Amino acid sequence: MHLNHYLNFQGETEAAFNFYKSVFGGEFLIFKRYSELPDAQISEKEKDYLLHVSLPINSFTVLMGSDVSEQFCAPNNAPFTKGNNHYISINLDPHEEDEARRLFNALSVNGEIEMALDNTFWGALYGAFTDQFGVKWMVNCQLLAE
């Protein structure tokens, strides 16, 4: 299991991550835009927003981020403001699906589910929530390819 930092922005992710890359060095592992989504129906304003970017910082840490899209935000989510844009991302290996479910269920008790833990188009079991203390979490478990 790896715990990483996941940052959200509103149209500034590319600039932020290019800045972080200039500071930490390295190369992006993933750099995907919303326009690359299958059957993407996004606004013209958001077509160049980043869906996901990953920048390895060292052998233990990956800084990840994305631009917030109103289309994909849960209706009960607080609107984006700088300062509420940080998640702790738990990343598990394919054989750890049970542990992903256990962590999601245990940490989200008395919290607010943003996205239920479910299979995704990127081949992972994924969910997001805010715990009872206001800390934002993501659980992502890569699934075995069939």
Side-chain angles (χ1 to χ4, degrees):
M1 174 185 353
H2 293 270
L3 295 178
N4 291 299
H5 298 278
Y6 201 102
L7 306 175
N8 289 130
F9 299 92
Q10 196 162 36
E12 295 181 304
T13 302
E14 187 168 1
F17 272 76
N18 281 327
F19 170 73
Y20 300 142
K21 184 178 172 184
S22 76
V23 172
F24 295 110
E27 296 298 324
F28 297 125
L29 289 177
I30 300 172
F31 193 91
K32 297 282 185 187
R33 297 189 186 279
Y34 275 101
S35 59
E36 297 176 60
L37 277 170
D39 302 319
Q41 297 178 6
I42 54 174
S43 70
E44 188 64 28
K45 172 186 167 190
E46 296 179 344
K47 71 177 177 66
D48 288 329
Y49 275 16
L50 288 185
L51 174 66
H52 181 76
V53 60
S54 295
L55 177 65
I57 303 300
N58 59 37
S59 58
F60 304 104
T61 306
V62 177
L63 186 61
M64 298 179 283
S66 65
D67 285 307
V68 173
S69 169
E70 292 180 17
Q71 177 182 348
F72 297 107
C73 288
N76 57 351
N77 256 4
F80 175 85
T81 55
K82 287 186 179 184
N84 75 349
N85 57 337
H86 179 262
Y87 286 80
I88 298 172
S89 178
I90 301 172
N91 299 283
L92 298 121
D93 292 328
H95 63 279
E96 297 180 295
E97 288 180 58
D98 289 341
E99 180 67 354
R101 286 184 182 87
R102 185 189 76 76
L103 290 168
F104 184 92
N105 292 333
L107 287 167
S108 66
V109 167
N110 297 323
E112 188 173 323
I113 305 293
E114 181 179 325
M115 185 174 173
L117 191 67
D118 203 355
N119 293 346
T120 65
F121 70 87
W122 64 86
L125 182 64
Y126 171 85
F129 59 91
T130 302
D131 73 17
Q132 61 187 311
F133 303 104
V135 176
K136 292 175 165 284
W137 295 85
M138 297 175 168
V139 175
N140 189 79
C141 179
Q142 282 306 126
L143 300 174
L144 292 172
E146 295 182 12

